[in-house]
Structure formats: structure tokens, C-alpha cells
Amino acid sequence: MDLLDRQDVLLLNELQRDARQTVQQLAAAVGLSSTPCWRRVKELEAAGVIRGYTALVDRAKVNLQLCVLAEINLGRHQEGEVQRFEAAVAQSPQIVACWSTTGQADYVIKVLVPDIQAYEHFLHETAFRLPGVTHVRSSVVMKEVKSETRLPIELPARGAAVGKPKKG
């Protein structure tokens, strides 16, 4: 198994902080020269460690003030039903995250909409119509205490490395 070394972790943390840096800025921040820095980033992309780059948008400034976490239960857990449910979830733009879970709910979804009326519309026109859904329990988020996109990648001890999937 290929491993992430100290430089890879530094690069990942720096890119998570600001992915718009030039290669020169990134190289200076992690103590590499530009060419090896660029090569490492390309290797991390090719290995799928870096899946892409995105902009962080303030949801309130784009009229998505209401965040709801909804627990979903399916009536049956047959493979076809689960696949249809997951495909329908992937097609719903209001559902920005979905997790298959243990415990009382089969899935937990995160829904972003402008207001409670929009959520009610979402429930009736989308959630209740998702394949196999028998129950939806909604929790409205009152205050977002922490919403972090950065992964907490820790530096390995000197000489150690952390796991990274093999290429190909």
C-alpha cells in the first residue's frame, strides 16, 4: 500500500485551507520547490486522494437559510429498492448530504431550502415520494455550531506515514 508522507499531509492541509494558491505559493508553504510540489499534487489527484476543488458558498447569502436533518426509513431493504432510493436522492438538489446509518434510521439526509414552507413542499413533493420511504423524522437546525469541510489529517510522526489507497 502506498502511504501519505509528511509532505503529502502538509500539501493536503494547505490545499484544504486555500485551494486557489499558485503552485509557487503552495510549494513555499510546505517547504518544497515548485516542480516536486506540482508533481505530488498531480499524484494525489491521480490516486483519488484529491477528488476535486470547489468554492465554499455562504448558504444564507444564496437564500438557503433553513437546514434540516431528516431520518429516513425504508420499508424493504432489497438491493433494487435501495439502489432506486439512493439514485433518487442523488438527483435531488435540496439533499446536499446523505448517509446510510445504523440505529433507528436507515438514512440521514441533510436538506437545504429557503424556509419552512419550502421544506414542507420538499417533504410532499420529494421526500415522501422517494422509492421505499415509509417514515421521515425531521430535525430543524436551530444554530450551526460547527460546519467544517476540512478533514482533520494529522501529520505522521517523523519517519512514519499514513495510509493512502494504491493507484489503479
Side-chain angles (χ1 to χ4, degrees):
M1 174 187 266
D2 292 336
L3 300 173
L4 294 175
D5 65 14
R6 186 172 186 79
Q7 291 301 144
D8 291 332
V9 172
L10 288 170
L11 279 169
L12 291 171
N13 284 328
E14 191 61 26
L15 284 168
Q16 287 186 106
R17 187 188 66 74
D18 180 4
R20 294 186 66 187
Q21 299 178 70
T22 65
V23 172
Q24 292 77 16
Q25 291 170 318
L26 187 57
V30 301
L32 290 172
S33 59
S34 294
T35 301
C37 178
W38 177 84
R39 195 173 301 125
R40 280 179 176 261
V41 170
K42 292 301 171 193
E43 288 171 359
L44 291 167
E45 291 170 351
V49 176
I50 297 174
R51 297 186 323 196
Y53 300 89
T54 190
L56 299 177
V57 177
D58 183 324
R59 65 182 175 84
K61 292 184 179 177
V62 293
N63 196 30
L64 293 171
Q65 287 88 350
L66 189 67
C67 177
V68 180
L69 302 178
E71 297 179 353
I72 306 284
N73 287 97
L74 303 182
R76 291 179 283 158
H77 297 93
Q78 297 170 332
E79 188 63 29
E81 191 81 6
V82 168
Q83 288 175 346
R84 283 189 294 282
F85 169 81
E86 291 179 358
V89 164
Q91 294 302 309
S92 176
Q94 298 91 347
I95 301 172
V96 297
C98 177
W99 303 275
S100 175
T101 61
T102 61
Q104 288 188 322
D106 295 321
Y107 291 88
V108 175
I109 61 174
K110 179 179 178 181
V111 179
L112 297 178
V113 289
D115 53 35
I116 198 69
Q117 291 81 15
Y119 184 67
E120 180 182 22
H121 183 263
F122 166 84
L123 277 175
H124 292 286
E125 298 301 317
T126 303
F128 294 150
R129 294 181 182 189
L130 291 170
V133 170
T134 59
H135 193 81
V136 178
R137 280 180 297 282
S138 303
S139 297
V140 173
V141 174
M142 301 295 290
K143 177 171 85 171
E144 212 168 83
V145 177
K146 181 177 181 180
S147 180
E148 186 63 56
T149 61
R150 292 186 212 185
L151 299 179
I153 307 170
E154 294 186 18
L155 286 171
R158 289 273 181 209
V162 293
K164 174 173 76 173
K166 277 190 160 184
K167 295 179 193 175

